[in-house]
Amino acid sequence: MTKGIGTMSMGRGWKMGLGALALAALAGCSGGDDNSTEQDTAQDNGNNQASLTIGSTNFPEQLILANIYADVLRNDGVNVTTRLNLGSREVVFPALTNGEIDLLPEYSGALMTYLDQDEAHADARSNDDVMSALREVLPEGIEALDASPAEDRDALVVTRETADRYNLKTFSDLAPVSDELTLGGPPETQTRDVGIPGLKRVYNIEFANFRSLDAGGPLTRGALANGDIDVARMFSSQGAIAENDWVALRDDKDLEPAQNIVPVGRSEALTDEIRESLNHVSEALTTEELQDMNHRVEIDKADPAQVAGQWVDEHMDSEQQSAN
């Protein structure tokens, strides 16, 4: 999945149908993938400790964020289970509403637009407006905690050669030449509003072809590097963009709202202490640190759990000591 926003044409019946899909996905996602984990990290021992299951979607940044949340909460004595790399939002968010998982790292604008079926908040663009709208459209029993200043936006990325050839700097620059180009990205790009539908509606962009790949992962990056696609749907915080001297085009007509990192969870599973700890994480995290961690996982092939653990060691300990 991309973290990218937009709704599927599912109406208000999406919860039941996708809940079944989520259940099947959760049952089958624990094997074979080094980034897919299902682990019980503590025993209750009769102490009535808080317990929480943290899930994530299926790209490296989500694995990093979910592991950060898990490490911080474990340090606070919470019994944490992680179920990571489960699939797209269309699978994972229904798993949250159904109680199969308790917490997700999310993106404010992405989730707001996904839930805003009636497009009542289509004009929300700033972080404050998006967070206000998000809290209005969240299902009963689901809450968004504090948004982080760290942000990760969907991006249309081209090679330097393609940018120079067509003089591409913005999304608008794509419109006159898009019928000569192939777009690549995750399957949801075909249906989400920041994908093909929104690009046509706002920019009159219509690509010659679309190749279904992954969410800014090795398939997409390899296809862009090899010339199999001309434009890649990626994420603005990915280290691969700068590493390869690729060009992320500017969304000059604001198709996409703010995309700040925000923990979203089931109210009945969240204690005041858990809320405080997660809000502390959001406050400490920056976009630059997110980019650095993504670079280490994507380019340097570091383990997301180790990268997350190092961030927690460097930031939460010192922050907590100063708070005390």
Side-chain angles (χ1 to χ4, degrees), residues 35 37 39 41 52-74 80-86 92 101 103-107 261-263 278 281 285 290 293-294 304-305 307-309 311-312:
N35 289 331
T37 64
Q39 57 182 18
T41 58
L52 201 73
T53 299
I54 301 176
S56 84
T57 58
N58 56 347
F59 56 95
E61 181 173 283
Q62 282 272 299
L63 305 179
I64 295 167
L65 291 168
N67 275 295
I68 286 175
Y69 295 169
D71 283 357
V72 168
L73 294 178
R74 288 175 193 136
V80 176
T81 299
T82 56
R83 307 195 73 169
L84 309 183
N85 210 33
L86 295 174
V92 182
I101 56 178
L103 181 73
L104 286 172
E106 263 291 0
Y107 303 87
I261 310 298
V262 57
L278 294 174
V281 171
L285 186 65
L290 198 60
M293 288 188 286
N294 282 332
V307 171
W311 186 91
V312 171

Side-chain angles (χ1 to χ4, degrees), residues 130-274:
V130 166
M131 285 302 299
S132 177
L134 174 59
R135 290 189 169 106
E136 288 187 29
V137 299
L138 280 170
E140 183 177 357
I142 304 296
E143 63 181 270
L145 303 183
D146 291 352
S148 173
E151 187 177 24
D152 183 4
R153 303 177 68 86
D154 283 2
L156 293 181
V157 178
V158 298
T159 64
R160 180 69 61 182
E161 179 183 4
T162 298
D164 291 343
R165 178 180 178 185
Y166 293 104
N167 193 27
L168 301 178
K169 297 179 181 178
T170 67
F171 283 19
S172 290
D173 294 334
L174 275 173
V177 299
S178 59
D179 60 355
E180 302 176 34
L181 306 176
T182 295
L183 172 67
E188 309 92 87
T189 304
Q190 299 176 87
T191 54
R192 292 184 175 179
D193 192 59
V194 293
I196 290 173
L199 291 170
K200 177 174 173 55
R201 174 175 55 82
V202 175
Y203 289 100
N204 197 32
I205 291 173
E206 294 189 78
F207 290 101
N209 298 290
F210 173 74
R211 289 195 60 184
S212 182
L213 300 168
D214 55 14
L219 295 179
T220 299
R221 299 195 303 270
L224 184 63
N226 295 333
D228 296 328
I229 61 174
D230 304 294
V231 183
R233 170 65 76 178
M234 295 179 64
F235 307 130
S236 63
S237 65
Q238 287 191 254
I241 298 174
E243 179 76 13
N244 292 283
D245 192 33
W246 291 339
V247 177
L249 304 180
R250 181 167 56 86
D251 180 7
D252 52 309
K253 293 184 180 179
D254 292 327
L255 170 60
E256 185 178 27
Q259 296 289 3
N260 296 78
I261 310 298
V262 57
V264 176
R266 298 173 56 246
S267 297
E268 67 179 18
L270 302 177
T271 66
D272 289 342
E273 291 77 13
I274 289 172

Side-chain angles (χ1 to χ4, degrees), residues 23-45:
L23 184 61
L26 287 170
C29 283
S30 61
D33 188 334
D34 289 342
N35 289 331
S36 179
T37 64
E38 181 177 351
Q39 57 182 18
D40 293 319
T41 58
Q43 299 297 323
D44 193 336
N45 295 325

Side-chain angles (χ1 to χ4, degrees), residues 75-150:
N75 290 344
D76 290 343
V78 178
N79 292 329
V80 176
T81 299
T82 56
R83 307 195 73 169
L84 309 183
N85 210 33
L86 295 174
S88 70
R89 178 178 290 111
E90 284 80 1
V91 170
V92 182
F93 191 79
L96 178 68
T97 62
N98 291 340
E100 297 158 28
I101 56 178
D102 300 310
L103 181 73
L104 286 172
E106 263 291 0
Y107 303 87
S108 56
L111 185 57
M112 183 272 291
T113 307
Y114 172 76
L115 295 172
D116 188 23
Q117 298 283 323
D118 300 328
E119 299 185 354
H121 305 283
D123 294 335
R125 285 295 177 269
S126 71
N127 181 48
D128 288 345
D129 288 346
V130 166
M131 285 302 299
S132 177
L134 174 59
R135 290 189 169 106
E136 288 187 29
V137 299
L138 280 170
E140 183 177 357
I142 304 296
E143 63 181 270
L145 303 183
D146 291 352
S148 173

